């Protein structure tokens, strides 16, 4: 169960006002905190519960804790990688003064495998290790890692956005592609083989024009899964239903975008 899954209502009158157990998670040094503008304690790491074990993912590592005692079972930090590939000709990296978090981090667990995305989601990028990883749930052994920019030429400036979801043996992740020179922002969904990390399908969901200034994303977005269909909405104002196994679109709708013409958001429909 993740933070976005439904739970039965707890017996509120029987709950203690004090935590039964607590554990201090590693905090970023001051010079790496992205949220210094507003809230220094802004939450963005959400745990996932599976088989009496809590799994969390921060910007560098994936950890597992016993759900009853919060004793740490394992912690895995994927090996450092080379910097992200340079943008293609005609593009340039996105620069900006925003240091606000634009996404949340919540692993998915299926078939004794933990799927987690690392890297700090700020400024339309993921600083650090912006890959999706698969780890063995029992001991944290790294099974595979994938950078979407190497997965498909169409994703040469793509950035992972939203928590992953898993349907049977397919991992689905969202990828946002910011084309600064072309002034187009695009959303893709990527289907990945759970065992091997190989890309099974890549589906363009929608594109929208953008300005060269302002924030391209103003809120976190996520996918939900139901009966083999993955549903994805995006701040650009698109909502889609996609077959999780094949990537075939069932329908795509224009859902509207709040303040879509606000130049401070850099969005235009």
């Amino acid at each position: 169960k993740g933070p976005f899954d439904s739970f039965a209502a707890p017996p509120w009158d029987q709950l203690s006002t004090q935590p039964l157990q607590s554990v201090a998670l590693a905090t970023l040094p001051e010079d790496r905190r992205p949220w210094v503008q507003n809230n220094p304690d802004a939450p963005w790491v959400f745990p996932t519960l599976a088989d009496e074990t809590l799994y969390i993912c921060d910007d560098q590592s994936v950890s597992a804790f016993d759900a009853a005692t919060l004793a740490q079972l394992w912690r895995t930090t994927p090996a450092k990688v080379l910097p992200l590939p340079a943008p293609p000709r005609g593009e340039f990296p996105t620069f900006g003064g925003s240091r606000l978090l634009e996404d949340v981090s919540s692993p998915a667990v299926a078939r004794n495998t933990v799927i987690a995305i690392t890297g700090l989601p700020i400024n339309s990028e993921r600083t650090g290790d912006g890959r999706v990883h698969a780890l063995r749930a029992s001991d944290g052994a790294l099974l595979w890692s994938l950078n979407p920019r190497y997965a498909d030429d169409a994703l040469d400036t793509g950035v992972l956005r939203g928590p992953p979801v898993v349907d049977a043996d397919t991992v689905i992740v969202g990828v946002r592609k910011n084309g600064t020179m072309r002034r187009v922002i695009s959303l893709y969904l990527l289907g990945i083989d759970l065992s091997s990390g190989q890309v099974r399908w890549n589906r363009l969901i929608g594109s929208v024009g953008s300005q060269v200034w302002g924030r391209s994303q103003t809120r976190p977005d996520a996918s939900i899964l139901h009966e083999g269909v993955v549903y994805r909405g995006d701040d650009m104002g698109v909502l889609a239903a996609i077959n999780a196994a094949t990537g075939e679109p069932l329908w795509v709708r224009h859902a509207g975008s709040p303040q879509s013409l606000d130049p401070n958001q850099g969005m235009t429909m």
Side-chain angles (χ1 to χ4, degrees):
K1 291 285 188 177
F4 308 108
D5 295 317
S6 60
F7 289 83
W12 298 108
D13 58 340
Q14 301 177 25
L15 295 182
S16 170
T17 58
Q18 300 295 324
L20 300 178
Q21 302 287 347
S22 62
V23 61
L25 302 179
T27 57
L28 294 172
E30 195 70 29
D31 60 348
R32 294 191 62 228
R33 290 189 178 185
W35 48 83
V36 294
Q37 287 182 349
N38 287 344
N39 183 4
D41 299 315
W44 71 290
V45 175
F46 293 80
T48 297
L49 175 65
D51 296 328
E52 304 304 320
T53 301
L54 284 175
Y55 300 92
I56 68 166
C57 175
D58 56 30
D59 70 313
Q60 299 183 66
S61 304
V62 185
S63 304
F65 298 85
D66 183 273
T69 66
L70 291 187
Q72 182 170 300
L73 304 177
W74 53 259
R75 178 181 176 90
T76 300
T77 301
K80 292 184 178 180
V81 295
L82 295 174
L84 291 174
R89 187 175 182 180
E91 295 288 349
F92 54 84
T94 302
F95 298 98
S98 172
R99 298 284 295 170
L100 301 178
L101 288 164
E102 299 171 337
D103 205 355
V104 299
S105 178
S106 181
V109 183
R111 299 190 178 187
N112 194 38
T113 304
V114 181
I115 306 297
I117 298 173
T118 51
L120 278 177
I122 57 174
N123 220 24
S124 302
E125 288 286 343
R126 276 193 178 271
T127 62
D129 185 0
R131 297 179 296 171
V132 56
H133 311 275
L135 305 95
R136 194 158 53 223
S138 55
D139 58 9
L142 184 65
L143 303 177
W144 53 262
S145 300
L146 176 69
N147 186 332
R149 296 187 178 183
Y150 293 117
D152 194 304
D153 290 342
L155 303 177
D156 50 9
T157 60
V159 177
L160 291 164
R161 284 298 195 218
V165 295
V166 181
D167 177 66
D169 60 351
T170 302
V171 179
I172 301 98
V173 294
V175 180
R176 248 180 171 245
K177 180 178 177 181
N178 296 303
T180 50
M181 288 298 291
R182 301 183 182 92
R183 300 189 182 184
V184 173
I185 298 173
S186 302
L187 172 68
Y188 293 79
L189 284 184
L190 206 61
I192 307 167
D193 185 274
L194 177 64
S195 300
S196 67
Q198 297 296 312
V199 175
R200 288 181 168 177
W201 52 263
N202 177 19
R203 176 65 58 183
L204 173 63
I205 303 301
S207 299
V208 65
S210 70
Q211 304 288 353
V212 295
W213 64 85
R215 297 173 61 195
S216 65
Q217 188 166 0
T218 62
R219 66 187 181 194
D221 292 304
S223 303
I224 60 172
L225 190 67
H226 181 65
E227 296 183 352
V229 178
V230 58
Y231 299 89
R232 176 73 181 216
D234 190 87
D235 199 20
M236 71 175 65
V238 64
L239 182 63
I242 305 295
N243 185 302
T246 65
E248 292 299 316
L250 303 180
W251 50 260
V252 179
R253 300 288 186 270
H254 177 213
S257 179
Q259 302 177 352
S260 58
L261 299 180
D262 184 351
N264 293 322
Q265 294 188 24
M267 297 291 293
T268 177
M269 297 300 294

